[in-house]
Amino acid sequence: MKKKSKVCWLIYIAAFVVFLYIGYKVPYCHDEWQWGLDERIELMKNGFKDYNGRYLGDLLALLITRSVLAKAVVLAAGVVWLLDVMYKNIRFEEESRTKENTFLLLGVFFLLISIPSTLFQQSYGWPAAFVNFVPPVFLFLIYYNWTEWVYTKQKQPAIPVWETIMVIPLGISVQLFSENITVFVVFFAVWIVVYTLIRYKKIPLIELNFLWASIAGALIMFSNGAYSRAADGSDGYKEIHTTVSGMARQFISNIWYHLSINNWVLNILLIIVLLILIQKSGRKTFATIEMTVVFCGYSVYSVFHKIYPQWVFDSDQNLNNAINTMLAILFFANVLLCIWKNVDRKEGISMCILYLSSGAVAAPLLAANPIGARCFYVSYIFQALVLLKLLRYLTGRYRTELFYPILITGMAVCVLCVIYVRMFLAIGQVNDYRAQLIQTGIEQEHKEIVLPVLPYPEYFCQTIPPNERWAKRFKKFYHIPEDVTVRFEQILE
């Protein structure tokens, strides 16, 4: 496999530095106030009994709330690791060209940093969520990369012994972060074993090891008493509902949005690539006309919805959500159809599996409550990989000149990086001012401390306690006496 070029290494370094800065400046918020207290250490000593089965995520949450530097390094290292795993999945392994690899790596970086603000807020902007919803994504993709040959190779390749062994701790570890990914990974492990058996008439040890390890990891997670309490409704926060009507409401009112139209930048780029693919195929059939109409219509609607989100198809919210859901399903189905008809079968299968997986990994959320945008980070990554694989397919098949695509993508990445660095510089300055006010108030024994509201709240999680319970945790986290009143005010420009 060809070594990375100096340009690729510069992209890795740039990604690490940018996310290190974001991780350093992003404020502690919401859950971190709780994780930073001594009671969480006691909970850890108790094995997180009846809290949740996200054991590795919980340990990382404890780590990042005890050191700002640890918070920054964990976030930066996690993003760069994901960047690398995604790049390894899409780059050329044979007759690799430097420009193609540079373009693809820049594409990965762009898609990781151009995520919707709601997703940014609950991933990079919420460290306690990041440690639960990002690590399992790159851990799973490591296994996906190791076994993707089942879709593309005519014969089973030689599998390194170290992969066959390391897949065991990998399979257990990936299961100890977030519940919907845990359920999905078990089903995926079963799927890959069945598919390999049908195609090759034998099952490699790496797949069997991952299967039993992922099941073991799932059993470890769900043996935690929190899930039985969620099922019987006694948890007080988490709920599990299994009624058909409840799951239908969850999909129509919430899931469709995060799976589809919320990712409007990704969708627009995917539509452009698919339309190019249709044009390159040269076919003029009813299917290609139908796909073109759907893609063009959905792209226009995506942009319009972003500009004017208040617009609705019908004043009845349920009916409006149902129409949007049907449009999302129609778009999803046409993406699969276009890939199936216009991409070589061995590569098309892998793309279709990944795109289907973006929906399958969200399926357990039908029965869960509450859920948020963070739960769909993995779905976004799967869809982004499909877009990148299509780009690789087009650039490789048609030997596209990549000077201008590299230039445009590189400029877009630079602009976004500057915007985020500038944004978190402002956030960090106000957050540091907050810390000074708190310290001064404590030293001078003020009975009331007035703190400024942080700017750009759509890019980080809650930094104002929503109720008295969280206000107490906020005070304990910052060592503010209980009898002191804390008030928040908007800074006037």
Side-chain angles (χ1 to χ4, degrees), residues 2-20:
K2 194 170 182 178
K3 293 181 180 179
K4 297 181 181 72
S5 67
K6 291 180 181 179
V7 175
C8 287
W9 280 114
L10 286 175
I11 295 170
Y12 278 98
I13 293 169
F16 184 83
V17 171
V18 168
F19 280 98
L20 186 72

Side-chain angles (χ1 to χ4, degrees), residues 63-112:
L63 172 65
I64 64 172
T65 50
R66 274 146 185 83
S67 167
V68 174
L69 180 60
K71 167 169 65 81
V73 171
V74 166
L75 193 144
V79 172
V80 172
W81 197 345
L82 178 59
L83 176 82
D84 184 59
V85 174
M86 292 176 70
Y87 174 58
K88 286 177 179 175
N89 181 264
I90 60 172
R91 70 174 168 179
F92 286 82
E93 296 187 6
E94 298 174 0
E95 299 180 3
S96 182
R97 293 187 296 168
T98 300
K99 283 187 177 181
E100 288 166 331
N101 287 330
T102 302
F103 174 57
L104 292 171
L105 186 56
L106 279 171
V108 178
F109 192 1
F110 174 78
L111 291 173
L112 286 178

Side-chain angles (χ1 to χ4, degrees), residues 45-66:
K45 293 177 180 177
N46 244 2
F48 301 104
K49 183 181 179 182
D50 295 336
Y51 183 71
N52 63 39
R54 301 175 176 181
Y55 299 111
L56 293 182
D58 291 345
L59 291 174
L60 284 174
L62 285 170
L63 172 65
I64 64 172
T65 50
R66 274 146 185 83

Side-chain angles (χ1 to χ4, degrees), residues 326-465:
M326 294 303 297
L327 291 176
I329 292 172
L330 181 64
F331 173 68
F332 195 93
N334 274 272
V335 170
L336 291 171
L337 179 62
C338 186
I339 294 171
W340 188 258
K341 283 186 168 293
N342 296 290
V343 177
D344 288 347
R345 194 52 46 92
K346 65 178 183 179
E347 293 194 57
I349 291 175
S350 176
M351 295 180 197
C352 287
I353 291 298
L354 264 178
Y355 204 72
L356 285 168
S357 293
S358 71
V361 73
L365 301 173
L366 291 168
N369 191 53
I371 63 173
R374 59 195 179 278
C375 302
F376 299 89
Y377 186 87
V378 59
S379 298
Y380 176 90
I381 295 301
F382 286 171
Q383 292 182 21
L385 272 175
V386 172
L387 168 59
L388 293 163
K389 282 175 173 288
L390 285 167
L391 284 171
R392 182 197 66 185
Y393 180 80
L394 282 173
T395 56
R397 188 178 182 88
Y398 299 103
R399 292 294 175 177
T400 310
E401 172 54 48
L402 293 174
F403 174 78
Y404 288 108
I406 289 173
L407 180 63
I408 293 169
T409 308
M411 289 178 62
V413 168
C414 289
V415 168
L416 285 173
C417 287
V418 169
I419 289 172
Y420 284 125
V421 167
R422 179 65 185 87
M423 188 186 300
F424 278 90
L425 172 63
I427 292 168
Q429 287 174 338
V430 179
N431 196 46
D432 292 342
Y433 181 51
R434 264 191 179 189
Q436 292 175 9
L437 291 174
I438 290 172
Q439 186 63 31
T440 301
I442 293 172
E443 290 174 354
Q444 298 182 3
E445 299 182 349
H446 293 169
K447 291 302 177 184
E448 181 181 74
I449 299 176
V450 180
L451 300 178
V453 175
L454 301 184
Y456 308 109
E458 65 273 24
Y459 285 95
F460 53 84
C461 194
Q462 206 163 36
T463 57
I464 299 176

Side-chain angles (χ1 to χ4, degrees), residues 257 261 264 300-313 320 324:
Y257 175 81
I261 205 166
W264 69 278
V300 171
Y301 178 57
S302 295
V303 175
F304 179 72
H305 185 274
K306 180 64 180 178
I307 297 172
Y308 187 39
Q310 298 84 3
W311 185 87
V312 293
F313 286 102
N320 182 68
N324 276 300

Side-chain angles (χ1 to χ4, degrees), residues 27-281:
Y28 284 122
C29 47
H30 203 258
D31 277 16
E32 283 103 66
W33 303 332
Q34 197 172 11
W35 282 111
L37 304 181
D38 291 339
E39 64 190 49
R40 283 302 182 217
I41 297 292
E42 295 304 314
L43 184 63
M44 178 190 69
K45 293 177 180 177
N46 244 2
F48 301 104
K49 183 181 179 182
D50 295 336
Y51 183 71
N52 63 39
R54 301 175 176 181
Y55 299 111
L56 293 182
D58 291 345
L59 291 174
L60 284 174
L62 285 170
L63 172 65
I64 64 172
T65 50
R66 274 146 185 83
S67 167
V68 174
L69 180 60
K71 167 169 65 81
V73 171
V74 166
L75 193 144
V79 172
V80 172
W81 197 345
L82 178 59
L83 176 82
D84 184 59
V85 174
M86 292 176 70
Y87 174 58
K88 286 177 179 175
N89 181 264
I90 60 172
R91 70 174 168 179
F92 286 82
E93 296 187 6
E94 298 174 0
E95 299 180 3
S96 182
R97 293 187 296 168
T98 300
K99 283 187 177 181
E100 288 166 331
N101 287 330
T102 302
F103 174 57
L104 292 171
L105 186 56
L106 279 171
V108 178
F109 192 1
F110 174 78
L111 291 173
L112 286 178
I113 205 169
S114 65
I115 62 176
S117 60
T118 52
L119 201 53
F120 193 109
Q121 181 191 66
Q122 295 201 2
S123 54
Y124 315 140
W126 187 3
F130 179 92
V131 296
N132 279 308
F133 290 93
V134 176
V137 182
F138 60 70
L139 290 176
F140 169 75
L141 286 176
I142 290 172
Y143 176 69
Y144 187 89
N145 290 355
W146 287 351
T147 56
E148 193 179 20
W149 54 263
V150 303
Y151 307 116
T152 59
K153 305 291 185 184
Q154 293 300 320
K155 295 194 308 183
Q156 178 182 317
I159 300 171
V161 174
W162 71 269
E163 287 185 6
T164 302
I165 296 172
M166 288 305 298
V167 80
I168 297 172
L170 178 70
I172 295 173
S173 300
V174 71
Q175 300 297 69
L176 304 179
F177 289 95
S178 57
E179 295 79 7
N180 65 307
I181 296 178
T182 297
V183 174
F184 165 77
V185 167
V186 171
F187 280 96
F188 185 87
V190 173
W191 151 258
I192 204 75
V193 166
V194 172
Y195 184 87
T196 306
L197 180 61
I198 293 172
R199 184 171 185 192
Y200 295 95
K201 311 304 179 187
K202 58 182 177 180
I203 307 171
L205 185 57
I206 187 174
E207 293 182 5
L208 292 176
N209 281 347
F210 187 79
L211 176 61
W212 73 257
S214 64
I215 292 173
L219 290 174
I220 292 170
M221 167 176 269
F222 290 114
S223 63
N224 190 289
Y227 302 105
S228 59
R229 292 172 58 193
D232 63 26
S234 62
D235 180 77
Y237 176 68
K238 296 182 287 291
E239 293 179 8
I240 297 175
H241 50 80
T242 55
T243 63
V244 175
S245 60
M247 289 191 286
R249 278 196 303 272
Q250 182 84 305
F251 184 78
I252 292 173
S253 64
N254 199 348
I255 290 177
W256 76 268
Y257 175 81
H258 292 291
L259 277 181
S260 184
I261 205 166
N262 191 42
N263 305 327
W264 69 278
V265 173
L266 174 63
N267 286 340
I268 295 298
L269 294 175
L270 179 60
I271 287 168
I272 292 171
V273 172
L274 290 172
L275 289 174
I276 293 173
L277 192 63
I278 291 172
Q279 187 271 327
K280 291 287 186 182
S281 72

